[in-house]
Amino acid sequence: MFDRRLFTNFDWTLLGVVLLITAFGVVNIYSASSSYRDIGTPYYLKQLYWIFAGLILCLTVCSLDYHMLEDFAYWLYGGVLVLLVLVLVAGKTSMGATRWIHLGFFNMQPSEPMKIVIIMTFARFFSRYPIFKGLTLKDLVYPLLILGAPALLIMKQPDLGTAVLVSLIGGTMLLFVGVRWSALASLFAAALPIVYGAWTFGLHDYQKNRIYNFLNPDLDPLGSGYHIIQSKIAVGSGATFGKGFMQGTQSQLRFLPEQHTDFAFSVFAEEWGFAGCLLMLTLYLFLILWGLSIAKRCNDRFGSLLAVGVSAMLFWHIVINMGMVIGLLPVVGVPLPFFSYGGTSMVTSMVGVGILLNISMRRFMF
């Protein structure tokens, strides 16, 4: 029988904040893509379709007891890992990257669900792992193998942004569980030669150019530095209150690349200025803090770790995207959750919100 307490404890505040951000995102995409010609179905309309699909998945996820995820975590991890291998063997290549599996009616990108699956896997692993005074270097062997396998496969595609995100999500959960200072120092020392090796043998030339342009944007202003220079001009020209809706010259005159996807926030900053940016930052800050409060109020360790993982996923997306568009971080192709155009990102973020809603509405049951 349906427990009425599940409905009465539904987290309307969390869903309301998410819907408010998506509404701002659709309006912004409408403006960002208004200068496009011959694009078929408008991007803002397609974004509405993805929001609807994401909400269905979100409500489906929150309707099932989240403890079921604990039983399927390792199976899902193994399944997505196999798909990541399959991508490298028989994946679809586009613009120099092999990230998708063609399924006839749509292309699947397995690296996106891995963000959720790694959260479930770590939550499952550490919910039953005895920890005394923090994880030692020996304790970190299995978690790092679990985290390293998908990160390396995603880097191989190559998709540096998603590989970094998966690593940051897992790393944040490790810090939440607790790691001894001696283990952290050893990891830092071991990471230096790994980073050097990745730079020398792992990164492609265009990825290295992004780092060079992050350090010196004027190095190639009409080539690899063009994105970040145009984005900084858009953000800066918004001043305090912006130029007004659909009045941004950088976006309406098409100076800004990827203005409806990864650089959508640059359009918003130009049109609504510092005041609009402050509003968006406040909404995102509230979303992250609300996710952490759900983790704190949860009565079991698995649910608490899940909530921390989802909050970490949203947090790192927001930090990297906003850092990228204002030139504080290299351009790595990370969308802004619920705001940038993109079906995969919307669905993944909505599933994450579904997990948070699920934990929040069942906090009284355990």
Side-chain angles (χ1 to χ4, degrees), residues 17 21 278-292 315 318 322:
V17 171
I21 296 173
L278 194 59
L279 173 64
M280 287 303 300
L281 284 170
T282 304
L283 289 173
Y284 277 121
L285 178 63
F286 182 86
L287 182 62
I288 300 303
L289 293 178
W290 197 261
L292 293 177
F315 172 80
I318 296 163
M322 290 192 176

